């Protein structure tokens, strides 16, 4: 009888966990094929879906990366966080010269099929 009750409790817990687990949106075949072609070495892939795009969150070379795809499977862009020391040296010098007294609170690189760039948020004690 104890085994039956234990099995019933364990089954109930598993069913509740499965019911409330974060369900990831299904990714369509075109998007998944495009992702696998572009990021064969990706690990720990998680998908999110909106009306306009699919977002893959994954790691590659032990770095977290976000990739965005159209529903047709076209890669829209890639974003990954980075350290300020990873910026090109001329940009580091320019930031130090033009924004002395500020610090970086957010920094990521974005890469689109037609261009690359950086998004930098600067802050000081007043702004």
């Amino acid at each position: 009888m104890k085994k039956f009750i234990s099995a019933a409790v364990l089954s109930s817990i598993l069913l509740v966990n499965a019911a409330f687990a974060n369900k990831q949106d299904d990714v369509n075949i075109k998007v998944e094929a495009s992702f696998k072609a572009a990021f064969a070495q990706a690990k720990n892939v998680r998908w999110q879906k909106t009306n306009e795009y699919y977002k893959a969150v994954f790691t590659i070379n032990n770095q977290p990366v976000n990739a965005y795809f159209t529903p047709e499977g076209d890669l829209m862009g890639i974003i990954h966080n980075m350290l300020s020391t990873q910026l090109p040296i001329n940009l580091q010098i320019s930031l130090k010269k033009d924004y002395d007294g500020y610090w970086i609170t957010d920094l990521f690189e974005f890469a689109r099929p037609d261009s690359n760039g950086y998004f930098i948020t600067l802050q000081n004690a007043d702004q």
Side-chain angles (χ1 to χ4, degrees):
M1 186 69 169
K2 283 185 178 180
K3 288 183 183 179
F4 176 73
I5 293 172
S6 297
V9 169
L10 182 59
S11 297
S12 298
I13 291 171
L14 291 175
L15 286 173
V16 169
N17 282 342
F20 291 104
N22 289 338
K23 182 183 178 294
Q24 295 185 18
D25 290 311
D26 293 326
V27 60
N28 75 39
I29 295 170
K30 292 178 189 175
V31 173
E32 189 171 16
S34 180
F35 175 81
K36 287 180 179 179
F39 304 104
Q41 303 300 320
K43 295 183 180 1
N44 305 318
V45 182
R46 295 181 320 275
W47 288 97
Q48 297 173 359
K49 180 184 173 189
T50 70
N51 291 338
E52 293 85 29
Y53 61 85
Y54 287 88
K55 175 184 175 183
V57 179
F58 57 98
T59 57
I60 196 161
N61 298 328
N62 293 322
Q63 293 185 9
V65 178
N66 299 328
Y68 298 84
F69 293 87
T70 66
E72 293 77 32
D74 297 323
L75 179 63
M76 296 167 53
I78 304 163
I79 292 176
H80 75 92
N81 292 326
M82 57 190 296
L83 301 172
S84 60
T85 56
Q86 295 172 310
L87 287 169
I89 193 70
N90 60 340
L91 186 52
Q92 289 181 40
I93 292 168
S94 176
L95 284 171
K96 184 68 175 166
K97 178 182 157 200
D98 297 337
Y99 296 97
D100 191 35
Y102 286 75
W103 57 88
I104 296 174
T105 59
D106 194 20
L107 170 60
F108 61 85
E109 178 180 25
F110 64 88
R112 297 185 305 202
D114 59 342
S115 66
N116 293 357
Y118 304 96
F119 180 87
I120 302 170
T121 303
L122 300 168
Q123 186 175 344
N124 68 13
D126 300 323
Q127 299 176 305

